[in-house]
PDB file of all heavy atoms in Angstrom:
ATOM      1  N   SER T1141       9.794   3.431 -10.232  1.00  0.00           N
ATOM      2  CA  SER T1141       9.621   3.337 -11.641  1.00  0.00           C
ATOM      3  C   SER T1141       8.560   4.280 -12.163  1.00  0.00           C
ATOM      4  O   SER T1141       7.606   4.623 -11.463  1.00  0.00           O
ATOM      5  CB  SER T1141       9.221   1.889 -12.028  1.00  0.00           C
ATOM      6  OG  SER T1141       7.910   1.609 -11.523  1.00  0.00           O
ATOM      7  N   PRO T1142       8.687   4.761 -13.407  1.00  0.00           N
ATOM      8  CA  PRO T1142       7.692   5.662 -13.996  1.00  0.00           C
ATOM      9  C   PRO T1142       6.304   5.052 -14.038  1.00  0.00           C
ATOM     10  O   PRO T1142       5.306   5.754 -13.844  1.00  0.00           O
ATOM     11  CB  PRO T1142       8.226   5.890 -15.423  1.00  0.00           C
ATOM     12  CG  PRO T1142       9.711   5.660 -15.315  1.00  0.00           C
ATOM     13  CD  PRO T1142       9.865   4.547 -14.302  1.00  0.00           C
ATOM     14  N   SER T1143       6.220   3.715 -14.248  1.00  0.00           N
ATOM     15  CA  SER T1143       4.915   3.079 -14.313  1.00  0.00           C
ATOM     16  C   SER T1143       4.181   3.138 -12.968  1.00  0.00           C
ATOM     17  O   SER T1143       2.946   3.264 -12.954  1.00  0.00           O
ATOM     18  CB  SER T1143       5.061   1.609 -14.748  1.00  0.00           C
ATOM     19  OG  SER T1143       5.903   0.896 -13.845  1.00  0.00           O
ATOM     20  N   PHE T1144       4.913   3.073 -11.857  1.00  0.00           N
ATOM     21  CA  PHE T1144       4.247   3.201 -10.558  1.00  0.00           C
ATOM     22  C   PHE T1144       3.955   4.655 -10.229  1.00  0.00           C
ATOM     23  O   PHE T1144       2.871   4.974  -9.688  1.00  0.00           O
ATOM     24  CB  PHE T1144       5.063   2.570  -9.432  1.00  0.00           C
ATOM     25  CG  PHE T1144       4.431   2.782  -8.073  1.00  0.00           C
ATOM     26  CD1 PHE T1144       3.367   1.996  -7.676  1.00  0.00           C
ATOM     27  CD2 PHE T1144       4.854   3.812  -7.238  1.00  0.00           C
ATOM     28  CE1 PHE T1144       2.733   2.210  -6.451  1.00  0.00           C
ATOM     29  CE2 PHE T1144       4.228   4.061  -6.007  1.00  0.00           C
ATOM     30  CZ  PHE T1144       3.149   3.239  -5.634  1.00  0.00           C
ATOM     31  N   LEU T1145       4.881   5.514 -10.528  1.00  0.00           N
ATOM     32  CA  LEU T1145       4.714   6.930 -10.177  1.00  0.00           C
ATOM     33  C   LEU T1145       3.461   7.520 -10.856  1.00  0.00           C
ATOM     34  O   LEU T1145       2.843   8.440 -10.317  1.00  0.00           O
ATOM     35  CB  LEU T1145       5.958   7.722 -10.586  1.00  0.00           C
ATOM     36  CG  LEU T1145       7.211   7.372  -9.777  1.00  0.00           C
ATOM     37  CD1 LEU T1145       8.405   8.177 -10.307  1.00  0.00           C
ATOM     38  CD2 LEU T1145       7.018   7.672  -8.304  1.00  0.00           C
ATOM     39  N   GLN T1146       3.063   6.971 -12.007  1.00  0.00           N
ATOM     40  CA  GLN T1146       1.883   7.507 -12.669  1.00  0.00           C
ATOM     41  C   GLN T1146       0.564   7.152 -11.952  1.00  0.00           C
ATOM     42  O   GLN T1146      -0.453   7.773 -12.177  1.00  0.00           O
ATOM     43  CB  GLN T1146       1.820   7.024 -14.121  1.00  0.00           C
ATOM     44  CG  GLN T1146       1.470   5.568 -14.310  1.00  0.00           C
ATOM     45  CD  GLN T1146       1.300   5.203 -15.770  1.00  0.00           C
ATOM     46  OE1 GLN T1146       1.360   6.031 -16.652  1.00  0.00           O
ATOM     47  NE2 GLN T1146       1.079   3.909 -16.035  1.00  0.00           N
ATOM     48  N   ILE T1147       0.609   6.142 -11.078  1.00  0.00           N
ATOM     49  CA  ILE T1147      -0.607   5.767 -10.340  1.00  0.00           C
ATOM     50  C   ILE T1147      -0.470   6.039  -8.839  1.00  0.00           C
ATOM     51  O   ILE T1147      -1.416   5.788  -8.071  1.00  0.00           O
ATOM     52  CB  ILE T1147      -0.966   4.267 -10.520  1.00  0.00           C
ATOM     53  CG1 ILE T1147       0.046   3.367  -9.831  1.00  0.00           C
ATOM     54  CG2 ILE T1147      -1.126   3.957 -11.991  1.00  0.00           C
ATOM     55  CD1 ILE T1147      -0.393   1.922  -9.707  1.00  0.00           C
ATOM     56  N   LYS T1148       0.670   6.550  -8.423  1.00  0.00           N
ATOM     57  CA  LYS T1148       0.935   6.741  -6.980  1.00  0.00           C
ATOM     58  C   LYS T1148      -0.169   7.474  -6.266  1.00  0.00           C
ATOM     59  O   LYS T1148      -0.603   7.052  -5.196  1.00  0.00           O
ATOM     60  CB  LYS T1148       2.247   7.511  -6.839  1.00  0.00           C
ATOM     61  CG  LYS T1148       2.651   7.790  -5.402  1.00  0.00           C
ATOM     62  CD  LYS T1148       3.959   8.555  -5.337  1.00  0.00           C
ATOM     63  CE  LYS T1148       4.312   8.899  -3.902  1.00  0.00           C
ATOM     64  NZ  LYS T1148       5.593   9.682  -3.816  1.00  0.00           N
ATOM     65  N   ASP T1149      -0.642   8.564  -6.821  1.00  0.00           N
ATOM     66  CA  ASP T1149      -1.673   9.384  -6.182  1.00  0.00           C
ATOM     67  C   ASP T1149      -3.072   8.809  -6.332  1.00  0.00           C
ATOM     68  O   ASP T1149      -4.030   9.288  -5.744  1.00  0.00           O
ATOM     69  CB  ASP T1149      -1.649  10.813  -6.713  1.00  0.00           C
ATOM     70  CG  ASP T1149      -0.359  11.535  -6.321  1.00  0.00           C
ATOM     71  OD1 ASP T1149       0.246  11.194  -5.327  1.00  0.00           O
ATOM     72  OD2 ASP T1149       0.063  12.422  -7.129  1.00  0.00           O
ATOM     73  N   ARG T1150      -3.199   7.747  -7.146  1.00  0.00           N
ATOM     74  CA  ARG T1150      -4.488   7.091  -7.358  1.00  0.00           C
ATOM     75  C   ARG T1150      -4.602   5.801  -6.539  1.00  0.00           C
ATOM     76  O   ARG T1150      -5.649   5.169  -6.576  1.00  0.00           O
ATOM     77  CB  ARG T1150      -4.683   6.781  -8.838  1.00  0.00           C
ATOM     78  CG  ARG T1150      -4.760   7.984  -9.780  1.00  0.00           C
ATOM     79  CD  ARG T1150      -4.863   7.517 -11.216  1.00  0.00           C
ATOM     80  NE  ARG T1150      -5.142   8.554 -12.160  1.00  0.00           N
ATOM     81  CZ  ARG T1150      -4.210   9.273 -12.788  1.00  0.00           C
ATOM     82  NH1 ARG T1150      -2.912   9.011 -12.549  1.00  0.00           N
ATOM     83  NH2 ARG T1150      -4.542  10.221 -13.636  1.00  0.00           N
ATOM     84  N   LEU T1151      -3.554   5.424  -5.846  1.00  0.00           N
ATOM     85  CA  LEU T1151      -3.530   4.156  -5.137  1.00  0.00           C
ATOM     86  C   LEU T1151      -4.008   4.323  -3.693  1.00  0.00           C
ATOM     87  O   LEU T1151      -3.506   5.183  -2.954  1.00  0.00           O
ATOM     88  CB  LEU T1151      -2.105   3.566  -5.139  1.00  0.00           C
ATOM     89  CG  LEU T1151      -1.870   2.311  -4.314  1.00  0.00           C
ATOM     90  CD1 LEU T1151      -2.794   1.177  -4.845  1.00  0.00           C
ATOM     91  CD2 LEU T1151      -0.430   1.874  -4.376  1.00  0.00           C
ATOM     92  N   PHE T1152      -4.950   3.468  -3.276  1.00  0.00           N
ATOM     93  CA  PHE T1152      -5.455   3.470  -1.904  1.00  0.00           C
ATOM     94  C   PHE T1152      -5.373   2.027  -1.366  1.00  0.00           C
ATOM     95  O   PHE T1152      -6.029   1.129  -1.902  1.00  0.00           O
ATOM     96  CB  PHE T1152      -6.903   3.986  -1.868  1.00  0.00           C
ATOM     97  CG  PHE T1152      -7.057   5.355  -2.449  1.00  0.00           C
ATOM     98  CD1 PHE T1152      -7.337   5.524  -3.807  1.00  0.00           C
ATOM     99  CD2 PHE T1152      -6.896   6.485  -1.667  1.00  0.00           C
ATOM    100  CE1 PHE T1152      -7.468   6.792  -4.355  1.00  0.00           C
ATOM    101  CE2 PHE T1152      -7.012   7.756  -2.194  1.00  0.00           C
ATOM    102  CZ  PHE T1152      -7.286   7.922  -3.542  1.00  0.00           C
ATOM    103  N   SER T1153      -4.582   1.875  -0.310  1.00  0.00           N
ATOM    104  CA  SER T1153      -4.357   0.517   0.228  1.00  0.00           C
ATOM    105  C   SER T1153      -4.930   0.427   1.653  1.00  0.00           C
ATOM    106  O   SER T1153      -4.781   1.333   2.473  1.00  0.00           O
ATOM    107  CB  SER T1153      -2.851   0.202   0.259  1.00  0.00           C
ATOM    108  OG  SER T1153      -2.321   0.180  -1.049  1.00  0.00           O
ATOM    109  N   PHE T1154      -5.548  -0.749   1.924  1.00  0.00           N
ATOM    110  CA  PHE T1154      -6.133  -1.013   3.246  1.00  0.00           C
ATOM    111  C   PHE T1154      -5.624  -2.364   3.743  1.00  0.00           C
ATOM    112  O   PHE T1154      -5.647  -3.334   2.978  1.00  0.00           O
ATOM    113  CB  PHE T1154      -7.646  -1.005   3.172  1.00  0.00           C
ATOM    114  CG  PHE T1154      -8.258   0.323   2.778  1.00  0.00           C
ATOM    115  CD1 PHE T1154      -8.366   0.692   1.442  1.00  0.00           C
ATOM    116  CD2 PHE T1154      -8.693   1.200   3.759  1.00  0.00           C
ATOM    117  CE1 PHE T1154      -8.908   1.902   1.076  1.00  0.00           C
ATOM    118  CE2 PHE T1154      -9.232   2.443   3.401  1.00  0.00           C
ATOM    119  CZ  PHE T1154      -9.335   2.779   2.064  1.00  0.00           C
ATOM    120  N   PHE T1155      -5.247  -2.424   5.021  1.00  0.00           N
ATOM    121  CA  PHE T1155      -4.725  -3.659   5.590  1.00  0.00           C
ATOM    122  C   PHE T1155      -5.397  -3.914   6.944  1.00  0.00           C
ATOM    123  O   PHE T1155      -5.703  -2.945   7.666  1.00  0.00           O
ATOM    124  CB  PHE T1155      -3.219  -3.580   5.785  1.00  0.00           C
ATOM    125  CG  PHE T1155      -2.475  -3.321   4.510  1.00  0.00           C
ATOM    126  CD1 PHE T1155      -1.966  -2.035   4.230  1.00  0.00           C
ATOM    127  CD2 PHE T1155      -2.289  -4.310   3.555  1.00  0.00           C
ATOM    128  CE1 PHE T1155      -1.268  -1.783   3.077  1.00  0.00           C
ATOM    129  CE2 PHE T1155      -1.615  -4.061   2.389  1.00  0.00           C
ATOM    130  CZ  PHE T1155      -1.107  -2.794   2.145  1.00  0.00           C
ATOM    131  N   PRO T1156      -5.583  -5.183   7.338  1.00  0.00           N
ATOM    132  CA  PRO T1156      -6.167  -5.476   8.653  1.00  0.00           C
ATOM    133  C   PRO T1156      -5.152  -5.227   9.755  1.00  0.00           C
ATOM    134  O   PRO T1156      -3.945  -5.169   9.525  1.00  0.00           O
ATOM    135  CB  PRO T1156      -6.519  -6.953   8.535  1.00  0.00           C
ATOM    136  CG  PRO T1156      -5.521  -7.514   7.581  1.00  0.00           C
ATOM    137  CD  PRO T1156      -5.318  -6.409   6.560  1.00  0.00           C
ATOM    138  N   HIS T1157      -5.662  -5.126  10.964  1.00  0.00           N
ATOM    139  CA  HIS T1157      -4.827  -4.862  12.145  1.00  0.00           C
ATOM    140  C   HIS T1157      -3.758  -5.965  12.291  1.00  0.00           C
ATOM    141  O   HIS T1157      -2.575  -5.675  12.531  1.00  0.00           O
ATOM    142  CB  HIS T1157      -5.697  -4.823  13.399  1.00  0.00           C
ATOM    143  CG  HIS T1157      -4.936  -4.670  14.694  1.00  0.00           C
ATOM    144  ND1 HIS T1157      -4.025  -3.658  14.905  1.00  0.00           N
ATOM    145  CD2 HIS T1157      -4.970  -5.423  15.840  1.00  0.00           C
ATOM    146  CE1 HIS T1157      -3.533  -3.788  16.120  1.00  0.00           C
ATOM    147  NE2 HIS T1157      -4.067  -4.837  16.701  1.00  0.00           N
ATOM    148  N   PHE T1158      -4.170  -7.222  12.165  1.00  0.00           N
ATOM    149  CA  PHE T1158      -3.203  -8.346  12.184  1.00  0.00           C
ATOM    150  C   PHE T1158      -2.893  -8.657  10.708  1.00  0.00           C
ATOM    151  O   PHE T1158      -3.629  -9.340  10.032  1.00  0.00           O
ATOM    152  CB  PHE T1158      -3.786  -9.579  12.858  1.00  0.00           C
ATOM    153  CG  PHE T1158      -2.779 -10.690  13.081  1.00  0.00           C
ATOM    154  CD1 PHE T1158      -2.180 -10.839  14.340  1.00  0.00           C
ATOM    155  CD2 PHE T1158      -2.404 -11.537  12.038  1.00  0.00           C
ATOM    156  CE1 PHE T1158      -1.241 -11.855  14.548  1.00  0.00           C
ATOM    157  CE2 PHE T1158      -1.459 -12.541  12.250  1.00  0.00           C
ATOM    158  CZ  PHE T1158      -0.866 -12.686  13.489  1.00  0.00           C
ATOM    159  N   CYS T1159      -1.831  -8.062  10.230  1.00  0.00           N
ATOM    160  CA  CYS T1159      -1.540  -8.152   8.791  1.00  0.00           C
ATOM    161  C   CYS T1159      -0.236  -8.912   8.536  1.00  0.00           C
ATOM    162  O   CYS T1159       0.832  -8.514   9.035  1.00  0.00           O
ATOM    163  CB  CYS T1159      -1.439  -6.743   8.195  1.00  0.00           C
ATOM    164  SG  CYS T1159      -1.110  -6.721   6.443  1.00  0.00           S
ATOM    165  N   VAL T1160      -0.329  -9.971   7.767  1.00  0.00           N
ATOM    166  CA  VAL T1160       0.857 -10.716   7.341  1.00  0.00           C
ATOM    167  C   VAL T1160       0.945 -10.732   5.811  1.00  0.00           C
ATOM    168  O   VAL T1160       1.941 -10.318   5.230  1.00  0.00           O
ATOM    169  CB  VAL T1160       0.842 -12.166   7.884  1.00  0.00           C
ATOM    170  CG1 VAL T1160       1.994 -12.953   7.299  1.00  0.00           C
ATOM    171  CG2 VAL T1160       0.924 -12.176   9.407  1.00  0.00           C
ATOM    172  N   VAL T1161      -0.126 -11.159   5.162  1.00  0.00           N
ATOM    173  CA  VAL T1161      -0.126 -11.270   3.698  1.00  0.00           C
ATOM    174  C   VAL T1161       0.144  -9.916   3.037  1.00  0.00           C
ATOM    175  O   VAL T1161       1.003  -9.793   2.151  1.00  0.00           O
ATOM    176  CB  VAL T1161      -1.476 -11.831   3.194  1.00  0.00           C
ATOM    177  CG1 VAL T1161      -1.514 -11.869   1.691  1.00  0.00           C
ATOM    178  CG2 VAL T1161      -1.697 -13.226   3.768  1.00  0.00           C
ATOM    179  N   GLY T1162      -0.593  -8.906   3.464  1.00  0.00           N
ATOM    180  CA  GLY T1162      -0.483  -7.595   2.818  1.00  0.00           C
ATOM    181  C   GLY T1162       0.877  -6.927   3.033  1.00  0.00           C
ATOM    182  O   GLY T1162       1.336  -6.147   2.208  1.00  0.00           O
ATOM    183  N   MET T1163       1.561  -7.258   4.152  1.00  0.00           N
ATOM    184  CA  MET T1163       2.828  -6.640   4.418  1.00  0.00           C
ATOM    185  C   MET T1163       4.040  -7.373   3.859  1.00  0.00           C
ATOM    186  O   MET T1163       5.183  -7.005   4.117  1.00  0.00           O
ATOM    187  CB  MET T1163       3.010  -6.444   5.946  1.00  0.00           C
ATOM    188  CG  MET T1163       2.195  -5.294   6.514  1.00  0.00           C
ATOM    189  SD  MET T1163       2.800  -3.651   5.994  1.00  0.00           S
ATOM    190  CE  MET T1163       1.535  -3.237   4.786  1.00  0.00           C
ATOM    191  N   LEU T1164       3.765  -8.414   3.076  1.00  0.00           N
ATOM    192  CA  LEU T1164       4.850  -9.142   2.416  1.00  0.00           C
ATOM    193  C   LEU T1164       5.451  -8.236   1.352  1.00  0.00           C
ATOM    194  O   LEU T1164       4.759  -7.600   0.574  1.00  0.00           O
ATOM    195  CB  LEU T1164       4.364 -10.436   1.813  1.00  0.00           C
ATOM    196  CG  LEU T1164       3.757 -11.445   2.779  1.00  0.00           C
ATOM    197  CD1 LEU T1164       3.362 -12.719   2.059  1.00  0.00           C
ATOM    198  CD2 LEU T1164       4.707 -11.758   3.946  1.00  0.00           C
ATOM    199  N   PHE T1165       6.770  -8.181   1.295  1.00  0.00           N
ATOM    200  CA  PHE T1165       7.505  -7.340   0.386  1.00  0.00           C
ATOM    201  C   PHE T1165       7.322  -5.855   0.748  1.00  0.00           C
ATOM    202  O   PHE T1165       6.804  -5.557   1.823  1.00  0.00           O
ATOM    203  CB  PHE T1165       7.155  -7.643  -1.066  1.00  0.00           C
ATOM    204  CG  PHE T1165       7.333  -9.113  -1.418  1.00  0.00           C
ATOM    205  CD1 PHE T1165       6.251  -9.940  -1.681  1.00  0.00           C
ATOM    206  CD2 PHE T1165       8.606  -9.671  -1.416  1.00  0.00           C
ATOM    207  CE1 PHE T1165       6.437 -11.290  -1.947  1.00  0.00           C
ATOM    208  CE2 PHE T1165       8.794 -11.036  -1.703  1.00  0.00           C
ATOM    209  CZ  PHE T1165       7.688 -11.837  -1.976  1.00  0.00           C
ATOM    210  N   GLU T1166       7.686  -4.953  -0.127  1.00  0.00           N
ATOM    211  CA  GLU T1166       7.695  -3.556   0.194  1.00  0.00           C
ATOM    212  C   GLU T1166       6.398  -2.843  -0.164  1.00  0.00           C
ATOM    213  O   GLU T1166       5.682  -3.279  -1.083  1.00  0.00           O
ATOM    214  CB  GLU T1166       8.853  -2.858  -0.526  1.00  0.00           C
ATOM    215  CG  GLU T1166      10.230  -3.464  -0.245  1.00  0.00           C
ATOM    216  CD  GLU T1166      10.682  -3.216   1.197  1.00  0.00           C
ATOM    217  OE1 GLU T1166      10.251  -2.217   1.768  1.00  0.00           O
ATOM    218  OE2 GLU T1166      11.485  -4.017   1.693  1.00  0.00           O
ATOM    219  N   HIS T1167       6.103  -1.758   0.563  1.00  0.00           N
ATOM    220  CA  HIS T1167       4.939  -0.916   0.322  1.00  0.00           C
ATOM    221  C   HIS T1167       5.355   0.523   0.477  1.00  0.00           C
ATOM    222  O   HIS T1167       6.382   0.846   1.053  1.00  0.00           O
ATOM    223  CB  HIS T1167       3.805  -1.220   1.286  1.00  0.00           C
ATOM    224  CG  HIS T1167       2.978  -2.422   0.983  1.00  0.00           C
ATOM    225  ND1 HIS T1167       2.010  -2.399   0.005  1.00  0.00           N
ATOM    226  CD2 HIS T1167       2.997  -3.676   1.463  1.00  0.00           C
ATOM    227  CE1 HIS T1167       1.441  -3.594  -0.077  1.00  0.00           C
ATOM    228  NE2 HIS T1167       2.025  -4.389   0.803  1.00  0.00           N
ATOM    229  N   THR T1168       4.496   1.407  -0.028  1.00  0.00           N
ATOM    230  CA  THR T1168       4.683   2.836   0.260  1.00  0.00           C
ATOM    231  C   THR T1168       4.118   3.070   1.678  1.00  0.00           C
ATOM    232  O   THR T1168       3.516   2.148   2.260  1.00  0.00           O
ATOM    233  CB  THR T1168       3.906   3.737  -0.719  1.00  0.00           C
ATOM    234  OG1 THR T1168       2.480   3.522  -0.519  1.00  0.00           O
ATOM    235  CG2 THR T1168       4.279   3.361  -2.164  1.00  0.00           C
ATOM    236  N   ASN T1169       4.313   4.247   2.207  1.00  0.00           N
ATOM    237  CA  ASN T1169       3.772   4.576   3.537  1.00  0.00           C
ATOM    238  C   ASN T1169       2.344   5.066   3.499  1.00  0.00           C
ATOM    239  O   ASN T1169       1.792   5.474   4.534  1.00  0.00           O
ATOM    240  CB  ASN T1169       4.672   5.604   4.213  1.00  0.00           C
ATOM    241  CG  ASN T1169       6.031   5.069   4.561  1.00  0.00           C
ATOM    242  OD1 ASN T1169       6.149   3.885   4.919  1.00  0.00           O
ATOM    243  ND2 ASN T1169       7.053   5.859   4.436  1.00  0.00           N
ATOM    244  N   LYS T1170       1.749   5.019   2.320  1.00  0.00           N
ATOM    245  CA  LYS T1170       0.373   5.504   2.179  1.00  0.00           C
ATOM    246  C   LYS T1170      -0.605   4.359   2.263  1.00  0.00           C
ATOM    247  O   LYS T1170      -0.869   3.677   1.253  1.00  0.00           O
ATOM    248  CB  LYS T1170       0.227   6.247   0.823  1.00  0.00           C
ATOM    249  CG  LYS T1170      -1.163   6.807   0.564  1.00  0.00           C
ATOM    250  CD  LYS T1170      -1.244   7.369  -0.830  1.00  0.00           C
ATOM    251  CE  LYS T1170      -2.665   7.769  -1.173  1.00  0.00           C
ATOM    252  NZ  LYS T1170      -2.781   8.259  -2.565  1.00  0.00           N
ATOM    253  N   TYR T1171      -1.147   4.084   3.446  1.00  0.00           N
ATOM    254  CA  TYR T1171      -2.133   3.036   3.609  1.00  0.00           C
ATOM    255  C   TYR T1171      -2.916   3.254   4.904  1.00  0.00           C
ATOM    256  O   TYR T1171      -2.505   4.054   5.761  1.00  0.00           O
ATOM    257  CB  TYR T1171      -1.489   1.637   3.628  1.00  0.00           C
ATOM    258  CG  TYR T1171      -0.393   1.463   4.662  1.00  0.00           C
ATOM    259  CD1 TYR T1171      -0.697   1.277   6.019  1.00  0.00           C
ATOM    260  CD2 TYR T1171       0.943   1.476   4.298  1.00  0.00           C
ATOM    261  CE1 TYR T1171       0.295   1.120   6.963  1.00  0.00           C
ATOM    262  CE2 TYR T1171       1.945   1.323   5.244  1.00  0.00           C
ATOM    263  CZ  TYR T1171       1.622   1.122   6.569  1.00  0.00           C
ATOM    264  OH  TYR T1171       2.613   0.980   7.516  1.00  0.00           O
ATOM    265  N   LYS T1172      -4.019   2.536   5.030  1.00  0.00           N
ATOM    266  CA  LYS T1172      -4.839   2.648   6.243  1.00  0.00           C
ATOM    267  C   LYS T1172      -5.029   1.256   6.871  1.00  0.00           C
ATOM    268  O   LYS T1172      -5.086   0.251   6.154  1.00  0.00           O
ATOM    269  CB  LYS T1172      -6.206   3.278   5.932  1.00  0.00           C
ATOM    270  CG  LYS T1172      -6.082   4.730   5.478  1.00  0.00           C
ATOM    271  CD  LYS T1172      -7.422   5.360   5.224  1.00  0.00           C
ATOM    272  CE  LYS T1172      -7.266   6.839   4.829  1.00  0.00           C
ATOM    273  NZ  LYS T1172      -8.570   7.492   4.569  1.00  0.00           N
ATOM    274  N   ILE T1173      -5.136   1.206   8.208  1.00  0.00           N
ATOM    275  CA  ILE T1173      -5.252  -0.035   8.933  1.00  0.00           C
ATOM    276  C   ILE T1173      -6.671  -0.197   9.484  1.00  0.00           C
ATOM    277  O   ILE T1173      -7.200   0.721  10.113  1.00  0.00           O
ATOM    278  CB  ILE T1173      -4.229  -0.069  10.089  1.00  0.00           C
ATOM    279  CG1 ILE T1173      -2.801   0.086   9.545  1.00  0.00           C
ATOM    280  CG2 ILE T1173      -4.339  -1.383  10.865  1.00  0.00           C
ATOM    281  CD1 ILE T1173      -1.747   0.312  10.590  1.00  0.00           C
ATOM    282  N   VAL T1174      -7.256  -1.326   9.195  1.00  0.00           N
ATOM    283  CA  VAL T1174      -8.672  -1.560   9.521  1.00  0.00           C
ATOM    284  C   VAL T1174      -8.854  -2.472  10.736  1.00  0.00           C
ATOM    285  O   VAL T1174      -8.215  -3.497  10.869  1.00  0.00           O
ATOM    286  CB  VAL T1174      -9.405  -2.195   8.306  1.00  0.00           C
ATOM    287  CG1 VAL T1174     -10.887  -2.354   8.594  1.00  0.00           C
ATOM    288  CG2 VAL T1174      -9.189  -1.363   7.054  1.00  0.00           C
TER     289      VAL T1174
END
């Protein structure tokens, strides 16, 4: 969607090594694992 594409390059996502909550539903491939 245009609304997401306007923030795509401004989005920074971090998830824990054992991740369940954060991986619910879809994500982009741009994230880091802590």
Side-chain angles (χ1 to χ4, degrees):
S1141 67
S1143 59
F1144 176 78
L1145 293 177
Q1146 72 174 356
I1147 69 167
K1148 179 180 178 181
D1149 295 333
R1150 296 177 171 90
L1151 175 60
F1152 302 92
S1153 297
F1154 296 85
F1155 302 104
H1157 176 54
F1158 189 100
C1159 181
V1160 174
V1161 177
M1163 283 292 105
L1164 300 183
F1165 305 112
E1166 303 291 333
H1167 279 282
T1168 67
N1169 291 324
K1170 180 186 173 184
Y1171 55 76
K1172 294 182 178 180
I1173 301 169
V1174 183

